[in-house]
Amino acid sequence: MKKYLFIIKTEIMSNLQYIFNVIFGYVGYFILLFILFNLWKYLYSDPNELINGYSMSQMMWYVVITEILWMALGGKKLNTKICNDVKSGNITYNINKPYSYIGYSLSTHLGDILVKGVVYFLLGMLTGLIFLGKFPSLNIIQVIVVIITMFLATIISILIIMALSLVAFFIEDATPFYWVYSKLILILGTIFPIEYFPVIFQKILNFSPIYVVSYGPAKLFVDFSWKSAVVIIIAQIIYIFIAYIICQIIYKKGVKRINVNGG
Amino acid sequence: MAIIEVKKLSKNFKVKLKEKGFKGSIKSIFKPKHKIVKAVKNISFNVEKGEIVAFIGPNGAGKSTTIKMLTSILFPDKGSIKVLGLNPMQDRKKLAYEIGTVFGQKEQLWTHLTPYDNFKFFGAIYDIPDAAVERKIEELKVLFELDDFINTPVRNLSLGQRIRCEIVASLIHNPKILFLDEPTIGLDPVVKENIRSLIKRMNKEYKTTIFLTSHDVGDIEKLCKRVIIINNGQIVLDDSMENLKYHYLNKKIVEAKMKEKINLDDEDGITILKDKGYNLKIEVDTTKRSVADAIKLLNPDNIIDINISNIPLEDIISNIYKNKD
Amino acid sequence: MLMAVRNQIKVIFLSIKYALMRELLNKTTFLSNVIFMVLNNSSMIIQWLILFSIRDNFGDYGLKQVILLIGLSSSIYGFAHFFFEKSFKLSETINTGKLDAYIVQPKNILLSTITSDIQVSALGDLLFGLIVYLFYGFSFPSFILYYIFTMTGGLILVCISVIFHSLSFWFNNADLGADTINNMMINVSTYPDSIFKGAVKWLLFTIIPVGIANYIPVKIITSFNPYLFIINISVCLLFIVITFIIFYKGLRRYSSSNLMSARI
C-alpha cells in the first residue's frame, strides 16, 4: 500500500507544475456548465417548477457534480496511455516489477488527476454558487459523504476505462470502445438524471455503472438521504471489486496472448 | 561569381529559463526569465559554384542555425544573405525550386510509402511533369543504387537506405545547390563511407554545389576541398582542406591491443598517449611518419586489435585558438 | 498564378490521398473509426429527443431544425478535421520544428502544413452529417447550400484554430488556449442559439463565430435570406485573410527546434 501512496504523491508533485493545464481545463469545464445552465434556464419557465421531480436549482447542481466527475477524470488520456502501453509492448516490462500493472496504473492516474479534481471541485462549487446564489441544504458531514462517493466513483470510472482500454490486447484499435462509453456516460449520466428516462429503462440504469459513477454522487448532493448514501456506497464497493477483477482477468489473458505470440 | 554570399550575419534566440522544482515552476509563470543566446555572431563567407563546402563545429556551434537561414527556415536578425542572387526571406518560393535540402535529424519522407511513391510526391511539389519525374527517378536510382528497395515501404528500410532516399528526394528537381545538415549523423562507419562517396559522385555528375554541416571530421576529410569551422557562433577558420590537413589534421590516433609489450619511446613522430601494458594509444604525426609506417613499428603480427581515428574536432578547434594567440 | 493554384491543389490532394492510403492499411480500424463516430454522434439525437419531450420548441428551433443544426455541425467538424487535421495540432508542429519541411518546399507553407494529415473518424462525422441531411429532406438547392456552409463553416473552424495555435510563435502554452477555444466552438455549436441571451449571444455572432458558421446557415436553409448568405461568405473570407496575416507574422519568429524549452 505504501508504494502506491508514494506513486500518488510523486504524480501529484509533478502535476503541480502543469497549473496551466488545470486552468485551461477549468475554462473548458466552465463553458460546458455555462451551456447547460442556459439550457436548463430556458427549459424551466418557472424556477419553482418541477421536471421529473427536480427543481431548476437541483438540475443545475446535479450537472455541476456530474461534470466535475467527468471533466476531472481525464479518461481520454488514460485510454490513450493504456492503449499505447499495450501496443508498444511497454506493458510487458511491468510483468517483472513488484507491483501489479492495474494497481500501478490506477495509482498513477489517481495521482495525476487528484489536484485537478480538487481544483475543479472548489471552482465548480464557486461557479454553482455564483449562478444559483445558494448551496443545496447539506451539513458538513453530508458533504464529506458526497465527496467520498465522488472519490469512489472516480476509482470505478478509472477501472472501467482501463478494462475498455485493455481490450487493445485483442483488437488493433480499442479507442472506439472508449468513445461509446464516454458518450453513454455523457448522455445517460451527465446531462440527465436517471428519472428523465422511460420507467423500464430506469430499472436497467439503476444497475448500470451510471448509477455508481455519476448519478449516485450527484443525486446525493442535490437530494441527500442517509439511506441512499448507504445504498450508493455499498453499490460502489461492489463495483470496485467487480471492475478490478475484470481488469485483472483481461490483463492476464492479454499478457498470456502476447507471450504466446512472442510479442 | 559567388553562388552563396553571406555578409555579417547574426541570429539570437530568446530562451525561456526554468528553475527546478515546484517553486521554480510557479515563479516561471509569473516572472518568466529569458536568456539571449547568440547562436550566430556576425559571420561572413562566400561559396563558389560547384564547390563542396563543409561547415563544421561541435554541437550547438551555430551550424544548423546558419544552414537554416540560408534555406529560408529562420529569419536572420542582422546581416544579408544572397543564395543564387536571391534573398531567402523575400524569394522563398523561387529559391525553393533551385535548392535541395536534407536534414539528417528531420525526415521528409512518408514512411508508409515506397521510395518510388515518395519521389513522385516530391515531383508534384516541384511541379515536374510525370514523364520527367520518371526519367529522373530512373537516373537517380542507378546513381544511388536504390534498385533493391525502391518498392519497399520506407519504414522497413535501414537508416542508411533512408538517408540515400532522402538525398534522392531532394534531387528530384535538379537543384543547383544541395544543403545537407548532418547527413551522416547516427550512421555506422561503413554506411557513412558509402554516403560520402555517393555525395561526391553526385557533385561530379551534376556539378551541384554542396553545402554540408557536420561535427564529424571524417565527413570533410573525404569530401571537401574547403572547410569552414564554426564555434560559439563565430567562424574560427575558413580555409582549404589541404591547409587544414597540413596544419591540424596531420595527426592520427592509433589504439592497439598487443600480444607483447613494445617500446616506442624514442621514435620520431610518435607521441605515446597511454601505455597500459598490452593496450597502447599513440598519436602519429603524419608529416613525419606515415600511419602505415607506424603500424609496421608495432609489428602487424604482434597486433590483436587496432583502431585508427582522427583527432576529435574539439581538440582541433582548441588547437586553432592556440595558434592564433 | 492560375498554374500555381492548380499545382498547389494537386499537392494538397496528393497529400490527402497518401494519408488516406496509410490509414487504409488497416481496414478494420478504419471502418470501426468511421462507424463508431456515426454512432457517437447519434447520441446527440437521443439527447434532443429527451429535451423535446419536455418542451416542443426552442425559440425558432423545432426538433427538425435542431437536428439539422447537429448534422451541419458534424459535417463542418468532419470537413475541417478530414482535410485540415493538422491545423488542430499546429502548435506541436511549430514547437517541434517540423515546419522546416514545408518551408523548404516551393508551395504555400500554411496550406501544405495543415493538409499534411487527416483524421479518419472525421469521415464518420461527414457521413453522419449526410445521413442527417437526407433525413431532414433532400432538395437540390438546400443540398448545395448545406455543403457550401459545410465548407465555409469548416474553414472558419480551421481559421480560428490556426489563429490561436499560431500564438505558439509568441507564447509557450498557446496550444492549451487553442484547444479550449476549439472545444468551445464544438460544444456550443450543438446547442441552438435560442438558449443564449444578451452578451453571450452577441459574442457568438462576433468573436466566437459559431453563430455565423452554424446558426446562420440553419436559418438560411430553413428559409433563404440573401443578406445572411453574404454575411456567412464574407466572414469566412475575412477569417482566411486574418489567419494568413497572423500566421506569417508569427513565422518570422519561428525557431525551428525545441531550443526554446531548454532547461537549466
Side-chain angles (χ1 to χ4, degrees):
Chain A
M1 200 59 203
K2 212 172 174 185
K3 58 192 166 200
Y4 295 117
L5 280 177
F6 182 76
I7 293 170
I8 294 178
K9 197 182 135 204
T10 322
E11 276 296 315
I12 292 177
M13 283 310 291
S14 68
N15 272 281
L16 277 171
Q17 302 195 7
Y18 300 106
I19 289 204
F20 268 112
N21 297 40
V22 177
I23 294 169
F24 278 106
Y26 172 72
V27 174
Y29 166 81
F30 177 83
I31 291 164
L32 217 61
L33 214 56
F34 181 81
I35 296 171
L36 291 174
F37 276 2
N38 275 284
L39 181 69
W40 291 122
K41 221 176 189 166
Y42 189 84
L43 275 172
Y44 281 86
S45 39
D46 169 8
N48 298 321
E49 183 190 343
L50 289 184
I51 298 180
N52 294 321
Y54 290 82
S55 72
M56 185 177 88
S57 145
Q58 277 179 318
M59 267 319 293
M60 290 186 180
W61 279 113
Y62 182 89
V63 178
V64 169
I65 299 290
T66 54
E67 288 291 344
I68 290 171
L69 284 168
W70 180 247
M71 299 283 285
L73 181 61
K76 197 172 167 189
K77 191 177 163 192
L78 178 67
N79 173 254
T80 316
K81 189 187 167 281
I82 297 205
C83 286
N84 284 343
D85 273 358
V86 174
K87 266 191 220 161
S88 66
N90 270 346
I91 202 163
T92 48
Y93 295 133
N94 283 298
I95 294 174
N96 305 327
K97 302 253 172 79
Y99 45 69
S100 88
Y101 179 78
I102 308 295
Y104 173 77
S105 303
L106 179 66
S107 24
T108 18
H109 196 72
L110 261 185
D112 191 10
I113 63 174
L114 221 53
V115 173
K116 198 162 80 172
V118 171
V119 174
Y120 277 27
F121 185 79
L122 295 175
L123 291 174
M125 290 297 122
L126 191 68
T127 315
L129 198 62
I130 291 169
F131 276 106
L132 299 164
K134 67 174 179 28
F135 285 118
S137 47
L138 284 172
N139 64 36
I140 189 76
I141 297 167
Q142 290 167 332
V143 172
I144 290 169
V145 171
V146 172
I147 291 175
I148 290 171
T149 61
M150 288 173 79
F151 183 72
L152 294 175
T154 305
I155 292 180
I156 301 169
S157 294
I158 294 175
L159 287 171
I160 292 176
I161 292 170
M162 265 168 31
L164 291 172
S165 313
L166 286 170
V167 176
F169 272 120
F170 310 98
I171 60 164
E172 181 76 21
D173 187 2
T175 43
F177 286 89
Y178 169 71
W179 293 348
V180 171
Y181 174 75
S182 71
K183 266 292 135 89
L184 281 176
I185 295 288
L186 220 57
I187 299 296
L188 303 180
T190 306
I191 303 175
F192 306 113
I194 287 177
E195 288 84 352
Y196 269 67
F197 298 94
V199 182
I200 316 164
F201 214 48
Q202 286 183 25
K203 282 191 182 133
I204 302 169
L205 287 176
N206 276 329
F207 286 97
S208 76
I210 289 176
Y211 180 80
V212 284
V213 303
S214 61
Y215 173 82
K219 171 84 180 177
L220 267 190
F221 191 73
V222 299
D223 185 15
F224 194 92
S225 84
W226 282 105
K227 196 187 145 212
S228 47
V230 171
V231 173
I232 287 163
I233 290 178
I234 290 173
Q236 285 182 323
I237 290 169
I238 295 172
Y239 253 101
I240 289 178
F241 197 65
I242 296 173
Y244 183 78
I245 288 173
I246 291 175
C247 279
Q248 283 293 1
I249 292 173
I250 300 178
Y251 175 74
K252 291 223 167 93
K253 279 227 155 102
V255 169
K256 220 177 252 166
R257 196 179 140 101
I258 281 194
N259 288 341
V260 170
N261 294 341
Chain B
M1 189 203 106
I3 203 163
I4 301 175
E5 271 180 82
V6 172
K7 274 187 206 142
K8 298 187 173 169
L9 188 65
S10 297
K11 173 81 184 173
N12 296 338
F13 287 109
K14 206 174 173 188
V15 179
K16 195 179 172 193
L17 297 179
K18 194 172 160 298
E19 285 162 56
K20 275 192 188 129
F22 176 54
K23 251 190 189 164
S25 327
I26 298 282
K27 244 193 204 164
S28 73
I29 293 171
F30 298 106
K31 227 177 165 187
K33 278 187 189 161
H34 294 285
K35 192 174 88 178
I36 302 289
V37 176
K38 292 182 178 164
V40 172
K41 302 173 202 163
N42 199 27
I43 63 171
S44 307
F45 62 89
N46 287 341
V47 176
E48 300 300 321
K49 191 166 184 288
E51 266 191 304
I52 303 186
V53 177
F55 208 63
I56 65 166
N59 285 326
K63 298 171 304 222
S64 291
T65 308
T66 308
I67 206 170
K68 280 173 179 166
M69 287 192 278
L70 296 177
T71 52
S72 323
I73 293 171
L74 292 174
F75 268 71
D77 290 342
K78 272 186 208 136
S80 79
I81 306 172
K82 280 267 178 317
V83 180
L84 295 159
L86 300 168
N87 177 337
M89 287 307 122
Q90 281 151 20
D91 312 303
R92 180 188 68 84
K93 272 192 198 174
K94 233 190 222 166
L95 183 62
Y97 282 108
E98 308 291 343
I99 62 170
T101 52
V102 177
F103 293 156
Q105 288 161 302
K106 286 177 187 171
E107 289 185 12
Q108 321 190 41
L109 302 176
W110 297 78
T111 52
H112 65 291
L113 295 178
T114 65
Y116 178 81
D117 285 332
N118 269 295
F119 302 151
K120 295 279 275 191
F121 182 69
F122 279 87
I125 286 178
Y126 293 97
D127 314 327
I128 309 167
D130 273 348
V133 176
E134 296 283 350
R135 240 179 295 131
K136 191 74 195 174
I137 294 174
E138 203 51 43
E139 188 185 315
L140 289 165
K141 187 175 84 180
V142 177
L143 185 66
F144 281 82
E145 297 153 6
L146 307 181
D147 230 348
D148 295 341
F149 52 86
I150 195 155
N151 290 317
T152 312
V154 171
R155 59 164 173 216
N156 298 337
L157 300 183
S158 70
L159 199 53
Q161 291 170 328
R162 277 191 197 198
I163 287 286
R164 264 144 81 187
C165 293
E166 292 271 355
I167 296 175
V168 169
S170 66
L171 291 174
I172 292 288
H173 58 292
N174 281 321
K176 296 202 176 80
I177 311 174
L178 183 63
F179 290 94
L180 299 152
D181 193 8
E182 303 276 5
T184 59
I185 201 164
L187 300 177
D188 67 63
V190 180
V191 181
K192 267 186 190 175
E193 204 49 54
N194 174 261
I195 299 287
R196 285 167 191 156
S197 67
L198 287 172
I199 292 174
K200 209 163 185 179
R201 206 189 296 171
M202 171 193 67
N203 167 263
K204 252 189 202 148
E205 196 94 348
Y206 300 118
K207 308 276 176 283
T208 316
T209 309
I210 293 172
F211 187 93
L212 70 91
T213 71
S214 180
H215 62 265
D216 186 336
V217 179
D219 276 351
I220 50 166
E221 216 182 347
K222 303 279 161 52
L223 277 172
C224 307
K225 291 224 172 65
R226 185 169 151 221
V227 180
I228 300 172
I229 298 182
I230 182 167
N231 192 36
N232 288 324
Q234 283 169 318
I235 291 177
V236 290
L237 185 92
D238 180 351
D239 207 344
S240 72
M241 192 62 217
E242 241 163 69
N243 272 338
L244 185 77
K245 257 194 180 146
Y246 184 76
H247 290 295
Y248 306 105
L249 287 182
N250 47 16
K251 294 190 179 91
K252 293 273 174 185
I253 309 272
V254 177
E255 283 173 276
K257 198 173 179 184
M258 316 290 293
K259 278 185 204 153
E260 287 166 27
K261 285 187 190 176
I262 198 164
N263 188 10
L264 296 171
D265 281 350
D266 305 320
E267 296 294 339
D268 201 23
I270 288 180
T271 321
I272 294 166
L273 299 175
K274 217 196 284 172
D275 186 358
K276 272 193 189 165
Y278 298 103
N279 291 316
L280 189 65
K281 189 175 179 186
I282 55 171
E283 192 182 87
V284 182
D285 187 341
T286 50
T287 54
K288 292 179 180 150
R289 191 189 281 278
S290 74
V291 177
D293 200 30
I295 293 171
K296 258 181 222 154
L297 269 182
L298 296 175
N299 181 11
D301 290 336
N302 198 9
I303 299 170
I304 299 168
D305 192 10
I306 190 162
N307 182 26
I308 304 167
S309 56
N310 288 305
I311 299 175
L313 184 58
E314 284 76 6
D315 292 0
I316 297 175
I317 291 174
S318 63
N319 231 324
I320 293 172
Y321 281 129
K322 256 183 232 156
N323 286 9
K324 271 186 182 169
D325 291 339
Chain C
M1 180 66 194
L2 212 63
M3 203 51 187
V5 172
R6 214 198 61 184
N7 286 332
Q8 177 80 54
I9 291 171
K10 189 180 162 194
V11 170
I12 289 175
F13 275 96
L14 203 55
S15 162
I16 288 166
K17 182 183 137 193
Y18 280 175
L20 196 59
M21 273 163 67
R22 180 190 60 218
E23 299 302 332
L24 280 169
L25 286 177
N26 191 327
K27 295 207 174 54
T28 332
T29 310
F30 183 87
L31 280 178
S32 72
N33 269 294
V34 173
I35 292 166
F36 273 105
M37 189 46 81
V38 174
L39 292 177
N40 188 46
N41 291 353
S42 309
S43 65
M44 284 187 282
I45 306 272
I46 300 175
Q47 179 192 342
W48 281 99
L49 287 174
I50 295 170
L51 288 169
F52 272 93
S53 72
I54 302 168
R55 200 180 159 139
D56 55 9
N57 73 73
F58 284 73
D60 306 338
Y61 292 78
L63 181 60
K64 219 178 159 188
Q65 279 75 36
V66 168
I67 287 177
L68 181 66
L69 175 69
I70 291 170
L72 182 67
S73 295
S74 297
S75 202
I76 286 173
Y77 179 94
F79 177 78
H81 281 262
F82 184 72
F83 292 100
F84 305 99
E85 169 66 2
K86 273 285 161 99
S87 49
F88 301 92
K89 293 172 182 161
L90 191 59
S91 292
E92 194 199 325
T93 314
I94 294 168
N95 293 336
T96 54
K98 287 190 180 132
L99 226 45
D100 292 13
Y102 309 103
I103 297 178
V104 296
Q105 295 171 0
K107 289 280 166 282
N108 184 284
I109 301 168
L110 180 56
L111 279 176
S112 302
T113 308
I114 62 180
T115 56
S116 64
D117 202 3
I118 59 168
Q119 190 189 72
V120 174
S121 56
L123 280 177
D125 293 297
L126 279 170
L127 184 62
F128 177 79
L130 179 66
I131 296 170
V132 168
Y133 169 75
L134 294 176
F135 174 79
Y136 173 82
F138 178 87
S139 78
F140 193 67
S142 75
F143 182 77
I144 300 288
L145 282 176
Y146 189 77
Y147 280 98
I148 287 177
F149 296 137
T150 294
M151 282 189 257
T152 55
L155 289 174
I156 291 175
L157 210 60
V158 168
C159 286
I160 297 269
S161 181
V162 172
I163 290 172
F164 282 94
H165 275 293
S166 292
L167 297 182
S168 284
F169 287 121
W170 289 274
F171 308 109
N172 273 353
N173 287 300
D175 53 331
L176 294 174
D179 288 346
T180 307
I181 300 277
N182 287 335
N183 280 332
M184 175 173 71
M185 297 274 297
I186 303 306
N187 283 330
V188 173
S189 71
T190 52
Y191 291 88
D193 57 326
S194 39
I195 66 168
F196 302 108
K197 283 193 186 72
V200 178
K201 198 157 184 166
W202 185 79
L203 278 177
L204 292 180
F205 283 89
T206 49
I207 300 166
I208 313 158
V210 178
I212 289 146
N214 303 66
Y215 300 146
I216 284 184
V218 170
K219 292 188 206 321
I220 299 175
I221 293 174
T222 315
S223 82
F224 188 77
N225 177 332
Y227 299 112
L228 291 179
F229 186 76
I230 290 167
I231 288 176
N232 179 276
I233 302 283
S234 34
V235 168
C236 176
L237 292 176
L238 181 70
F239 264 104
I240 292 173
V241 172
I242 296 173
T243 304
F244 273 96
I245 292 173
I246 292 180
F247 179 79
Y248 278 92
K249 260 217 140 54
L251 197 60
R252 300 182 67 107
R253 301 174 53 99
Y254 179 54
S255 67
S256 169
S257 70
N258 36 16
L259 193 68
M260 304 302 276
S261 60
R263 280 181 179 225
I264 52 156

